Amino acid sequence: MQKYKVAGYIRLSKEDKIKDESNSVTNQKLIINSYIEKNEDLELFDFYIDDGFSGTTFDRPAFKRLINDIESGKVNCVITKDYSRL
């Protein structure tokens, strides 16, 4: 069975830090790792973390690296805590 090369994408905006702990970088990593561990066809390639960046722009360093790795074939699956993170 071929495994998916997974990018775990995490984003935490300045507003998220104020609101609650459930969106923390650590919590998002735990959620993504837990999902990967439960699915044997998934293999984590790397985490891409934009801490303190708004989702209203694509001008985020880790997001740009993620797109680059997708285009170069290093990653063929992206997992986030929820769509709002992307």
Side-chain angles (χ1 to χ4, degrees), residues 27-85:
N27 187 57
Q28 290 180 57
K29 266 188 175 180
L30 289 171
I31 291 167
I32 293 168
N33 271 327
S34 174
Y35 184 79
I36 291 170
E37 288 172 5
K38 293 175 186 172
N39 293 275
E40 63 184 44
D41 58 336
L42 302 178
E43 181 177 276
L44 180 65
F45 176 76
D46 202 0
F47 278 105
Y48 300 75
I49 302 170
D50 282 318
D51 193 354
F53 288 86
S54 170
T56 61
T57 178
F58 293 117
D59 189 21
R60 298 174 252 152
F63 185 80
K64 288 180 178 180
R65 184 171 68 92
L66 170 64
I67 296 302
N68 210 19
D69 286 352
I70 291 169
E71 290 174 344
S72 67
K74 294 178 184 175
V75 168
N76 59 7
C77 179
V78 178
I79 297 177
T80 64
K81 175 183 171 271
D82 59 54
Y83 289 127
S84 71
R85 301 298 92 202

Side-chain angles (χ1 to χ4, degrees), residues 10-12 16-31 81-82 84-85:
I10 295 169
R11 184 183 60 77
L12 187 68
D16 290 330
K17 289 180 182 180
I18 296 168
K19 286 184 198 171
D20 62 37
E21 185 64 24
S22 69
N23 284 323
S24 74
V25 169
T26 302
N27 187 57
Q28 290 180 57
K29 266 188 175 180
L30 289 171
I31 291 167
K81 175 183 171 271
D82 59 54
S84 71
R85 301 298 92 202

